[in-house]
Amino acid sequence: MEARDLPPPAKRWTPEQTRVLNAEGAVSIVHARSGAGKTTVLRGYAKKRPQRRILYLVFSKPNQIEAEASFPSNTKPQTSHSLAFGVTGLRYRRKGLADTKPVAVSRIFGTSNATASAAIGLVRKFLSSGCDTVAAVVDPRNMKDRSALPYAEQLWELMKDPNRRDVPMPHDGYLKLFDLEGHVVKGYDAILFDEAQDANPITVNILKRQNIPLVVVGDHYQSIYGFRGAVDALEQFSGEHFMLTNTFRFGPEIAQAANSVLSMFGERDLIVGRGGPSQLHRDGKPEGPYTFLSRTNAGVIHHGIASGTKKLHFVGGFENYRTERILDAYFLYARMPGEVRDHEFREFSRFDQLVEYGEEIDDMEINAIVEIVKAFGMTTPLRLDDLRARSAVPAEQAEITMATFHRSKGLEWDNVVLGDAFDWSKFLEEDPRKRLAKFREELNLLYVAASRARKHLWINATLEAIMRAYPVG
Ligand SMILES: Nc1ncnc2c1ncn2[C@@H]1O[C@H](COP(=O)(O)OP(=O)(O)OP(=O)(O)O)[C@@H](O)[C@H]1O
C-alpha cells in the first residue's frame, strides 16, 4: 500500500487494521470499539481499491456530508433512504413526501381521530419492520390495533398511489418499497455498511439480497436505538469476523472506565487505549472549557441553568432539547394547567400528579424535568430564556458544550464531564438473571458517553460504582 493510504505521518496501520484492509471475503463483519479508527480504515479500504466503485452506506445525512468530503472519489456515501429515493422515491415527487396526519385520515375514511391515529401508528410500525404485510405487525391482543387494521391497509394502498395527492408518501415508505419490490443495488462493486449496530431492519433485508462484497462495521456495545426498532446488523450476517480494539482517542485510564462497562457483559475483546495520556476524575471541576453529557435532555438543561453566566453550545441546537416540556411542567407548578401543551402532561391538572407519575413509571426524563422545576420554581421561564440567550454563540466560543449521551455518539472532546445516568441501585435491585438484558441500552449509552473523552473524563456515580464492581486492567 502506498504511503498516502496510511493514517497521518509517522502512524502505521495496526495488524488488526491491516487485516480489515486486506479483507476480500463475500461478507466481512468488523467489530470496532470506540475510536478504534473504523472510519479511517474504511477510507483506507476504499483507497486501496481505486478500480472499484464503492457504496458507503451511512447512518444519517450529516454523516453523508462529512464522508463526501473525506472519502476518495471511487466511493459514494449515501443513507439507505437516499439510495432508495432514486429508485422508488422519485415516483412520489409530485405528491410530496411527508407523514400523514390523523385529521386528514379521519376525513378520508370517516373515522374518529383516535382510529385514524391508530391506523397511522400501524403503518409506521409496518414501515420500520422487516414484515411483508401490515397485518403481520398487528398485536392480536390489542383491540385498537385489530379494529384499525382495515384502515391501515387502505392507507398504505393510498400512500403507494402516486395520483392520491391528499395522502403523501412517508420517507420510510419508499425505502420499504425498495425492499418489497426486491430491488438490488446497481452500479457498485462493493458496499461498506457503517454504524451497523443500529441498523434499520429494511436496510438489512436489502443488503442480504446483494451479491457483491459487503463490509459490515459497528460496535455491538454502541447500539442505542433499539427502542426505535433498530437491529444489530453485526448479528444478522454470517461471514468472516474482524476486531478493531486499539483506540487512538484516549489512553489506558479512560479505556479502563469504558472497559469496566464492557466487562459486565463478559466481553474479552476490551479496548486497548493507545492515545495520548488521559486521566480519570472522581470529583472537582474542569478549569477550562469542557463538555457536559447527560442521559436526559432535562439533565443537560439543568446543568446549563446551574452554570450561571457561562456561554453554551448545544450539540444539535438548543431547540432540540425539548424545553417546552419543562415549561409545561412549570405551568402545572404555577397552577396554570390550561397553558400545558404536551400531550402526556395535559393528563394532569396539578404538579404533584406529574411528580407521582414520573416516580411511578420511573421515567428518567420526567423525573429530571421535575427536578428543574423544583429547583428553580417560579423563575423557571426566566432561566430558560436566559439559557437560550447564552447559547447564541458560535460553537468555538462556548465555555461548555452540552449534549445528551445519544447526541454525543461519534463525537469526541478533550474534557468530558458525565452527568446523570441510570440509577445503579435500581440495577442491583433487579433479578440478576434479567438485569443485564433490561439495562443493556442504558449501559451502552454510558459506554458511548465515557468513550468520548480524549484527555480528561469526570465520571459519574453510576460509572464509579461499575468500576468498583467490575474492575479491569
Ligand atoms: N493506525 C493508527 N495510528 C494512529 N492513529 C490512528 C490510526 N488509525 C486511526 N487513527 C486515528 O484515530 C482517530 C479515530 O479514528 P476514527 O475517527 O476513524 O475512529 P472511529 O472508530 O470512526 O470513531 P467512533 O468510534 O467514534 O466512530 C483519528 O484521529 C485517526 O486518525
Side-chain angles (χ1 to χ4, degrees):
M1 187 175 308
E2 293 175 28
R4 70 185 162 80
D5 294 332
L6 293 168
K11 293 176 184 169
R12 284 174 191 282
W13 297 112
T14 63
E16 286 180 337
Q17 291 176 328
T18 306
R19 278 197 285 278
V20 178
L21 291 169
N22 294 333
E24 286 296 351
V27 179
S28 307
I29 302 158
V30 184
H31 304 266
R33 300 281 176 260
S34 251
K38 75 177 160 68
T39 316
T40 314
V41 171
L42 291 179
R43 210 180 294 125
Y45 179 98
K47 277 189 183 166
K48 194 169 181 238
R49 295 161 178 79
Q51 308 307 331
R52 293 201 202 160
R53 292 158 303 164
I54 297 176
L55 170 67
Y56 178 27
L57 271 188
V58 295
F59 188 66
S60 64
K61 197 78 189 167
N63 297 140
Q64 180 182 330
I65 294 166
E66 207 180 298
E68 275 162 359
S70 68
F71 270 68
S73 59
N74 64 333
T75 307
K76 187 161 171 60
Q78 277 198 297
T79 61
S80 42
H81 285 89
S82 62
L83 178 71
F85 180 76
V87 182
T88 47
L90 281 174
R91 296 172 201 165
Y92 303 104
R93 242 184 339 187
R94 290 246 198 89
K95 79 170 189 166
L97 299 160
D99 286 330
T100 308
K101 301 288 178 226
V103 62
V105 174
S106 61
R107 202 180 323 112
I108 293 168
F109 296 130
T111 62
S112 66
N113 282 329
T115 304
S117 169
I120 292 172
L122 270 184
V123 173
R124 267 200 207 121
K125 196 166 158 195
F126 161 64
L127 295 183
S128 60
S129 75
C131 302
D132 289 350
T133 61
V134 183
V137 299
V138 170
D139 174 357
R141 291 161 305 179
N142 186 327
M143 255 303 282
K144 227 165 65 180
D145 265 22
R146 285 198 337 245
S147 50
L149 176 62
Y151 300 110
E153 284 173 325
Q154 287 180 60
L155 181 60
W156 174 229
E157 292 306 314
L158 296 180
M159 283 173 175
K160 284 190 291 182
D161 183 349
N163 299 318
R164 280 300 294 249
R165 298 211 178 167
D166 53 338
V167 186
M169 173 58 102
H171 288 279
D172 281 347
Y174 59 79
L175 177 62
K176 183 75 180 178
L177 275 184
F178 189 93
D179 178 26
L180 290 176
E181 293 178 3
H183 293 283
V184 288
V185 173
K186 291 195 186 123
Y188 294 101
D189 307 308
I191 302 175
L192 310 177
F193 181 35
D194 205 353
E195 301 288 357
Q197 75 282 348
D198 271 320
N200 181 327
I202 293 132
T203 309
V204 173
N205 275 356
I206 294 167
L207 289 178
K208 281 189 172 163
R209 272 203 302 275
Q210 311 311 313
N211 51 9
I212 50 178
L214 172 66
V215 182
V216 181
V217 193
D219 181 359
H220 181 58
Y221 301 104
Q222 293 190 63
S223 87
I224 55 176
Y225 288 107
F227 73 97
R228 269 189 349 202
V231 293
D232 185 353
L234 295 160
E235 291 176 344
Q236 308 262 331
F237 291 90
S238 44
E240 192 178 352
H241 288 260
F242 299 84
M243 287 299 313
L244 293 177
T245 57
N246 289 235
T247 181
F248 300 91
R249 179 174 294 149
F250 44 74
E253 299 77 6
I254 293 177
Q256 208 177 355
N259 282 338
S260 63
V261 181
L262 301 188
S263 66
M264 290 180 71
F265 295 103
E267 179 58 60
R268 283 156 187 246
D269 291 307
L270 298 177
I271 300 176
V272 182
R274 290 181 55 183
S278 61
Q279 232 179 316
L280 281 185
H281 304 267
R282 285 174 174 76
D283 38 40
K285 265 190 171 177
E287 274 167 19
Y290 67 94
T291 297
F292 178 83
L293 304 179
S294 168
R295 170 67 180 83
T296 57
N297 286 313
V300 170
I301 297 297
H302 200 149
H303 189 80
I305 295 177
S307 71
T309 56
K310 294 254 195 292
K311 291 187 211 118
L312 310 169
H313 168 65
F314 288 84
V315 173
F318 177 75
E319 62 288 353
N320 284 312
Y321 285 75
R322 317 253 349 237
T323 51
E324 66 285 352
R325 291 185 97 207
I326 302 171
L327 209 55
D328 282 340
Y330 157 80
F331 286 134
L332 290 175
Y333 176 88
R335 296 168 199 264
M336 298 155 72
E339 298 293 319
V340 176
R341 275 173 297 168
D342 183 86
H343 200 62
E344 196 177 9
F345 290 10
R346 270 180 31 196
E347 295 292 321
F348 310 109
S349 53
R350 295 193 322 266
F351 184 64
D352 60 320
Q353 293 171 328
L354 178 68
V355 176
E356 210 174 292
Y357 173 70
E359 281 166 7
E360 208 175 295
I361 63 166
D362 195 18
D363 185 305
M364 280 193 273
E365 192 66 59
I366 295 180
N367 293 341
I369 288 174
V370 162
E371 284 309 312
I372 293 181
V373 178
K374 276 185 181 169
F376 302 105
M378 297 306 281
T379 69
T380 303
L382 286 176
R383 306 272 187 167
L384 292 176
D385 286 346
D386 173 59
L387 200 61
R388 184 176 290 107
R390 282 194 279 132
S391 69
V393 292
E396 57 284 2
Q397 284 175 23
E399 293 161 277
I400 314 177
T401 297
M402 326 271 289
T404 55
F405 291 175
H406 280 103
R407 285 182 192 279
S408 74
K409 176 89 191 34
L411 302 174
E412 57 179 26
W413 299 275
D414 280 351
N415 305 315
V416 172
V417 175
L418 295 182
D420 63 350
F422 70 92
D423 187 344
W424 180 243
S425 60
K426 297 232 163 81
F427 176 85
L428 294 179
E429 281 162 20
E430 247 340 290
D431 179 344
R433 286 163 306 179
K434 295 188 187 147
R435 62 191 181 194
L436 268 183
K438 185 162 180 214
F439 282 77
R440 169 172 285 281
E441 210 146 298
E442 291 300 330
L443 288 161
N444 288 355
L445 278 165
L446 191 57
Y447 161 71
V448 166
S451 57
R452 300 303 102 199
R454 278 191 292 247
K455 294 182 178 159
H456 295 274
L457 174 68
W458 277 261
I459 60 175
N460 59 18
T462 307
L463 189 50
E464 193 173 350
I466 293 174
M467 289 184 75
R468 232 180 291 120
Y470 294 84
V472 278

